[in-house]
Amino acid sequence: MRKVYGYQWIIGFVLTFVCLPWGFAKDGQRMRFRDLGIDPGIFRPGVLNAITDVSGVLVGHRTIVQGEKVRTGVTAVMPHPGNVFLYKVPGAVYVGNGFGKAAGFLQVRELGVIETPILLTNTLSVGTAVSALVRWTLRQKGLEDVVSVNALVGEVNDSFLNDIRGMHVTEADVFKALASASSGAVAEGNVGAGTGACAFGWKGGIGTSSRVLPVQLGGYTLGALVQANFGGVLNVAGMPVGRMLQNYPYREFLEKRVESSTLKFISVPQDGPGSCMIVLATDAPLSSRNLYRLAKRAIMGLARTGSYMSNGSGDFVIAFSTHKTKPGMQSAAFLSNDDMSPLFLAAVEAVEESVYNAMFAAESMIGRDQHMVDALPVDDLKPLFEGYLKTTRKPLETKRP
């Protein structure tokens, strides 16, 4: 991470460790959603509750925090640790709302395969990321004669906190994100491409989650990673948190008691530049057609959190399967349509929880022009969920006739 210079570092230190003590785990880190005691959904997560629960998937971040106005970065997702161009994976893309500058989607849609790692960054750094990813790919062993590369890059607009016009992401930053990609736990919140992200009027960022299907349903693992930077009326596990904490779009037109509120929020534009990039990975043997169907369900997970995909929010999904296939394998080797429903639900649940994890992990941040965004006030959520927890802490029971 690049260092923060000047008095901005002092303000950030005081803000993090003095002014905003709520919502931290015992180790001093912001908590994950499940630390609240809630087990969302019906399927269980993997060991890490991350996209890296899908065997072979790697994630790397390059976080860029510099001076008083640079708050951005790069996140890399690798389908496997080998040469992705030589060993392509089945893939699909889905566009919920097309207000975005994603690169490489057309070829994935046409051919149904992904041939590079997936990069996430900010809107005006897509060109740099594409160029760097192409250069990185061409340097891989065995690709000396390659003359065409379909680099896959997604973005969100982090301009509220970041000097996006300065285009501070460099080729070297992309290379570092790729080089840092690893299995294991995934850093969340204000990291990588989520550094300058905002969500639902609070601080957003990178979040991840996973689901493992019961053996009777195939035992497959599905993981999600989100770059949460969008608006809406926050809904957490069915609770209308945005309304309860009086932080939602168009409030000035609807709520006459704004001045009487004891809570203070920074005016993060909820209907302005935003977006959410979603990456889905699974070890289930899926064709590109069913990966496309899977990707569509990711938007339903986004909707559960309160997103309504505003005009300025580009909401995109990239899905791939790590299942090892051989050249010439027939579609009969893939899961049938009738077997897809459990994976559809797993995708919805994993995306929903990924958004929560992004917000629970994110910390308050001051960025360009002294714009400040508060972290989600986790301690304020705890009393809201007291009744909910009394009923959901009981294990699910299956009654047989």
Side-chain angles (χ1 to χ4, degrees):
M1 179 188 295
R2 296 180 187 173
K3 294 182 179 179
V4 180
Y5 298 95
Y7 67 87
Q8 187 71 26
W9 182 90
I10 299 175
I11 294 175
F13 181 90
V14 173
L15 187 64
T16 301
F17 294 100
V18 178
C19 299
L20 301 168
W22 29 252
F24 286 83
K26 292 181 180 180
D27 59 1
Q29 299 298 309
R30 286 279 288 182
M31 61 197 294
R32 301 190 82 190
F33 176 63
R34 285 177 182 259
D35 294 333
L36 196 61
I38 300 173
D39 184 5
I42 62 172
F43 291 136
R44 296 186 181 280
V47 175
L48 301 170
N49 193 16
I51 194 172
T52 47
D53 282 317
V54 179
S55 181
V57 175
L58 312 175
V59 176
H61 297 301
R62 173 60 172 167
T63 302
I64 306 171
V65 176
Q66 185 178 28
E68 300 176 7
K69 62 181 182 178
V70 181
R71 307 286 184 269
T72 192
V74 182
T75 294
V77 180
M78 294 187 174
H80 58 73
N83 188 318
V84 182
F85 190 91
L86 289 179
Y87 300 96
K88 299 175 176 60
V89 295
V93 293
Y94 179 74
V95 179
N97 186 54
F99 198 110
K101 287 75 185 169
F105 274 38
L106 287 179
Q107 183 170 308
V108 173
R109 181 174 294 174
E110 182 71 20
L111 303 182
V113 294
I114 292 174
E115 63 184 30
T116 69
I118 299 161
L119 292 181
L120 306 179
T121 187
N122 74 60
T123 303
L124 297 188
S125 295
V126 170
T128 297
V130 168
S131 177
L133 185 54
V134 168
R135 191 181 302 277
W136 181 89
T137 300
L138 293 177
R139 291 176 179 175
Q140 305 305 302
K141 185 177 181 180
L143 305 185
E144 291 78 11
D145 297 325
V146 170
V147 294
S148 175
V149 176
N150 185 48
L152 198 51
V153 179
E155 54 79 27
V156 303
N157 192 308
D158 57 13
S159 59
F160 186 76
L161 289 170
N162 175 51
D163 173 32
I164 196 169
R165 288 175 58 90
M167 302 174 71
H168 298 281
V169 174
T170 67
E171 186 176 83
D173 293 318
V174 174
F175 292 160
K176 289 177 180 178
L178 290 163
S180 69
S182 63
S183 59
V186 177
E188 299 174 296
N190 301 357
V191 294
T195 301
C198 307
F200 297 107
W202 286 284
K203 187 66 183 68
I206 295 293
T208 186
S209 183
S210 69
R211 292 295 185 272
V212 179
L213 298 186
V215 174
Q216 301 92 322
L217 297 176
Y220 303 114
T221 300
L222 180 143
L225 181 141
V226 304
Q227 184 185 14
N229 185 65
F230 56 96
V233 185
L234 179 60
N235 185 80
V236 180
M239 296 284 287
V241 170
R243 290 179 59 188
M244 290 177 168
L245 297 184
Q246 300 183 34
N247 189 13
Y248 51 85
Y250 313 120
R251 181 176 165 226
E252 64 272 26
F253 303 109
L254 302 170
E255 178 58 71
K256 296 180 180 180
R257 298 185 301 277
V258 172
E259 294 79 12
S260 65
S261 173
T262 58
L263 297 173
K264 296 181 180 180
F265 296 98
I266 304 304
S267 298
V268 181
Q270 294 216 40
D271 198 33
S275 299
C276 186
M277 285 298 310
I278 303 171
V279 180
L280 296 180
T282 182
D283 56 9
L286 302 186
S287 64
S288 61
R289 180 181 60 80
N290 268 331
L291 281 167
Y292 175 76
R293 297 178 70 212
L294 185 71
K296 288 197 295 185
R297 271 64 180 189
I299 298 299
M300 298 179 71
L302 204 60
R304 281 191 178 186
T305 68
S307 166
Y308 59 97
M309 295 195 299
S310 67
N311 177 70
S313 182
D315 302 293
F316 298 82
V317 188
I318 301 170
F320 63 86
S321 169
T322 63
H323 184 78
K324 291 180 172 59
T325 59
K326 297 180 181 179
M329 177 177 284
Q330 300 300 311
S331 59
F334 296 120
L335 285 187
S336 68
N337 295 335
D338 292 338
D339 294 324
M340 289 299 299
S341 291
L343 287 168
F344 290 161
L345 179 54
V348 172
E349 291 186 1
V351 170
E352 177 189 16
E353 188 171 354
S354 293
V355 173
Y356 301 152
N357 281 337
M359 298 185 69
F360 272 64
E363 300 179 20
S364 298
M365 177 174 282
I366 301 174
R368 71 168 182 90
D369 298 332
Q370 293 299 292
H371 287 178
M372 190 188 89
V373 181
D374 287 335
L376 184 69
V378 176
D379 273 1
D380 288 343
L381 297 183
K382 293 177 181 178
L384 301 181
F385 282 97
E386 287 181 356
Y388 182 93
L389 291 172
K390 291 178 181 178
T391 60
T392 58
R393 280 176 175 163
K394 297 179 181 180
L396 290 173
E397 296 181 359
T398 302
K399 295 184 180 180
R400 297 185 179 182

